[in-house]
Amino acid sequence: MITEDTTTARGPVAGRFDAILTRVAVGAAERDAERRVPHDLVRELTQAGFGALRVPPEFGGDGIGVGELAELVVDLATADPNFVQLLRAHFLYTESLIHAPASESRSDWLRRIGNGELFGGAYTEKTASNQTHFATTIEIDGRGRRVVNGEKYYSTGSLYADWIITTGEGPEGIETVVLPAAADGLELVDDWDGFGQRLTASGTTRFRDVDITDSPTLPADVVPGSYGTSLAQFWHIAALDGIARALHRDVVEYVRGRKRYFSQGSGALPRDDAVVQSVVGEVSSARYVADTITRQIAAVLADLDAAIVAGNATDEDYDAVEIEVYRAQVSVVDTVLTAANRVFDVGGASALGRSHGWDRHWRNARTLASHNPTPNRLVSIGDHDLNGTSPYRTWLSGIDLRGRG
């Protein structure tokens, strides 16, 4: 899936996914136009081991490093960034399990992931009250069962998942629980109405007396923490990088095959027109910037991962990585959005054809950019640079938890 002018150290597992990624890419524009949910392709990808890439081999995974994972995630985003977003919660909790101390629960979950099972997330509530607490409850009912009741939104990836991770208020405060996606009383609704990332299943999850009495629990110390927030933002950066690659791929293919030219053009063919060449050059440069930043952040995260595993990661390490991720996010968002807008200038009205589906690149990039708006990132960067304020924030429906890990 990586085009010819990209230099990258692809690891030994990369070729295993090439055929699947080609199928994902071929149908991306059509799926977006028809809002056709790709259950089969997601399952094929996970059965091939994509969701277990970081899981240690003794639990059925490949045990690859963060840098190699990043290359494969960008390959997937180039094919269709919806797939990257819908797998985001799965990979965040997989990383948390990898970093957790050894336990029977940790081993059981890593084996499930190694067998191709997926996590989906359902955390966020639309109500303003969740600034201080959740409307979703976890309590003991009249029959002595432990049950979940409530409603979540932005349930990214849950429609494809085997297990749903959610949060709610229990007798002792906020809890995180896991339940089977097929549990009685659990309803997953594909009602995400955003104009981009249409196939990520980021809609509503409803819980009506969902019995979790016998559901397996996550280890108590599985918390994404500051590393998790950095990785979560990196996931968006990698998706944006994939969009930049797809923009470059599409515009080069389009211009090379185009015969009609502008009357004011400087070449007999569009590919020889200096104006068209400059637009392609701009998109190519945007791709280079996104690629370079993504690889740099992947390397930084890999170093932090190694420090966590070794037990010597410090608060300063976490803050330094978080700030670097924020700076990268702002830069990549601006670069890719500009390229996604500029690309249409190579072909006039004909570049707007629905069959090309180029609008999805801008819509997807704009949606990814809006999940955690860059103005907030700029404030955090400035506050850190001026006042030494830690940039770390968890995004648990407005609740600011300061624990590290």
Side-chain angles (χ1 to χ4, degrees):
M1 293 306 303
I2 299 178
T3 56
E4 58 191 5
D5 60 340
T6 297
T7 57
T8 177
R10 301 184 81 207
V13 304
R16 190 168 81 221
F17 303 104
D18 283 349
I20 302 172
L21 294 183
T22 296
R23 290 192 291 278
V24 170
V26 166
E30 185 178 344
R31 281 194 305 273
D32 178 85
E34 298 176 0
R35 193 171 178 142
R36 183 155 36 87
V37 179
H39 282 290
D40 292 345
L41 284 169
V42 172
R43 187 51 55 188
E44 185 179 354
L45 192 67
T46 55
Q47 289 302 314
F50 200 93
L53 285 167
R54 286 273 291 148
V55 171
E58 60 265 33
F59 299 111
D62 290 289
I64 68 173
V66 174
E68 189 177 349
L69 174 67
E71 294 292 341
L72 287 165
V73 170
V74 176
D75 282 351
L76 180 58
T78 307
D80 187 341
N82 285 281
F83 283 70
V84 171
Q85 181 73 357
L86 68 88
L87 291 171
R88 184 169 175 251
H90 171 81
F91 274 93
L92 292 180
Y93 272 90
T94 298
E95 284 293 308
S96 297
L97 285 162
I98 290 169
H99 287 163
S103 68
E104 184 177 351
S105 175
R106 173 185 182 269
S107 297
D108 288 344
W109 280 113
L110 288 175
R111 287 191 192 97
R112 291 184 183 103
I113 298 168
N115 287 331
E117 297 181 23
L118 284 180
F119 287 127
Y123 319 109
T124 305
E125 298 174 2
K126 287 185 173 181
T127 59
S129 63
N130 63 14
Q131 292 293 318
T132 54
H133 66 85
F134 287 113
T136 301
T137 60
I138 302 167
E139 55 194 355
I140 306 299
D141 70 2
R143 297 159 57 186
R145 304 178 307 163
R146 197 162 183 253
V147 296
V148 181
N149 282 284
E151 182 171 295
K152 301 289 188 177
Y153 196 58
Y154 302 118
S155 308
T156 304
S158 292
L159 208 64
Y160 305 92
D162 302 286
W163 300 93
I164 308 300
I165 301 176
T166 193
T167 47
E169 280 202 33
E172 299 180 3
I174 295 169
E175 297 183 44
T176 298
V177 296
V178 189
L179 49 153
D184 291 339
L186 193 156
E187 182 185 10
L188 301 168
V189 185
D190 186 17
D191 59 350
W192 161 244
D193 64 353
F195 58 60
Q197 297 289 86
R198 292 173 171 176
L199 307 179
T200 56
S202 299
T204 300
T205 301
R206 297 190 181 99
F207 306 93
R208 296 188 179 92
D209 290 327
V210 181
D211 186 356
I212 59 168
T213 307
D214 298 320
S215 293
T217 58
L218 290 169
D221 42 18
V222 171
V223 179
S226 181
Y227 173 83
T229 63
S230 294
L231 188 67
Q233 287 311 290
F234 173 73
W235 215 252
H236 290 331
I237 292 168
L240 286 161
D241 184 14
I243 291 171
R245 291 187 186 183
L247 281 165
H248 184 237
R249 175 201 65 202
D250 289 354
V251 74
V252 168
E253 179 181 323
Y254 172 82
V255 172
R256 283 176 176 171
R258 183 168 164 76
K259 306 300 182 185
R260 184 169 178 262
Y261 59 91
F262 290 107
S263 57
Q264 296 94 341
S266 60
L269 292 172
R271 66 189 299 166
D272 299 320
D273 188 323
V275 173
V276 173
Q277 290 170 349
S278 74
V279 174
V280 174
E282 186 174 341
V283 176
S284 182
S285 297
R287 171 194 173 144
Y288 175 79
V289 169
D291 271 342
T292 302
I293 291 176
T294 300
R295 290 186 177 126
Q296 167 63 19
I297 298 301
V300 168
L301 283 167
D303 288 344
L304 180 57
D305 168 57
I308 294 169
V309 171
N312 55 24
T314 66
D315 282 356
E316 290 73 21
D317 294 331
Y318 287 115
D319 283 352
V321 171
E322 193 94 343
I323 280 292
E324 193 157 351
V325 169
Y326 284 9
R327 291 171 180 147
Q329 179 193 359
V330 172
S331 300
V332 171
V333 162
D334 290 348
T335 298
V336 176
L337 280 176
T338 299
N341 184 53
R342 186 81 165 114
V343 70
F344 295 98
D345 289 336
V346 299
S350 61
L352 305 177
R354 289 182 181 273
S355 62
H356 301 312
W358 288 2
D359 61 304
R360 80 184 190 282
H361 296 315
W362 183 88
R363 289 187 287 102
N364 287 332
R366 181 62 264 176
T367 302
L368 287 163
S370 296
H371 285 313
N372 301 110
T374 55
N376 299 90
R377 294 288 172 259
L378 291 169
V379 170
S380 291
I381 294 166
D383 193 14
H384 173 270
D385 291 355
L386 293 169
N387 304 308
T389 305
S390 170
Y392 174 60
R393 304 287 189 277
T394 57
W395 312 305
L396 190 59
S397 300
I399 298 170
D400 186 4
L401 301 177
R402 297 288 177 157
R404 294 291 188 179

